[in-house]
């Protein structure tokens, strides 16, 4: 890989791979080939599972109002 790409691009791509815990040659190669070494990959937002014991923002906002 060092013969094909600039060392700076490889280092940046490796830092990105470490940050996202994607430790494959192909992942690093894709970052470099698509010139994404300076971009950050957005993380997917995960929703909380529906469960009776989980309290949301509204619950805690109401608690704050009753304490005042």
């Amino acid at each position: 890989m060092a013969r094909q790409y600039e060392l700076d691009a490889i280092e940046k791509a490796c830092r990105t791979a470490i940050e996202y815990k994607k430790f494959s040659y192909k992942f690093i190669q894709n970052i470099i080939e698509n010139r994404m070494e300076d971009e950050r990959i957005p993380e997917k937002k995960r929703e909380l599972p529906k469960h009776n014991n989980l309290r949301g923002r509204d619950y805690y906002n109401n608690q704050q109002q009753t304490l005042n």
Side-chain angles (χ1 to χ4, degrees):
M1 190 180 279
R3 291 183 214 147
Q4 295 175 338
Y5 307 109
E6 294 180 23
L7 185 58
D8 187 47
I10 295 171
E11 288 179 0
K12 288 179 181 179
C14 288
R15 278 191 223 113
T16 302
I18 290 170
E19 184 177 331
Y20 291 98
K21 297 180 176 122
K22 304 279 186 177
F23 307 111
S24 71
Y25 180 92
K26 190 69 176 169
F27 183 79
I28 294 169
Q29 184 179 19
N30 284 337
I31 290 173
I32 296 169
E33 286 178 355
N34 294 313
R35 294 189 171 115
M36 296 176 60
E37 59 268 5
D38 290 325
E39 296 180 23
R40 291 291 173 230
I41 301 169
E43 290 189 28
K44 296 179 182 176
K45 291 184 180 181
R46 297 185 310 180
E47 291 188 30
L48 292 175
K50 302 294 181 194
H51 194 277
N52 292 335
N53 288 339
L54 294 178
R55 301 175 190 134
R57 176 179 21 185
D58 295 333
Y59 173 84
Y60 288 102
N61 285 340
N62 290 335
Q63 290 294 84
Q64 289 294 331
Q65 291 174 358
T66 57
L67 292 175
N68 292 331

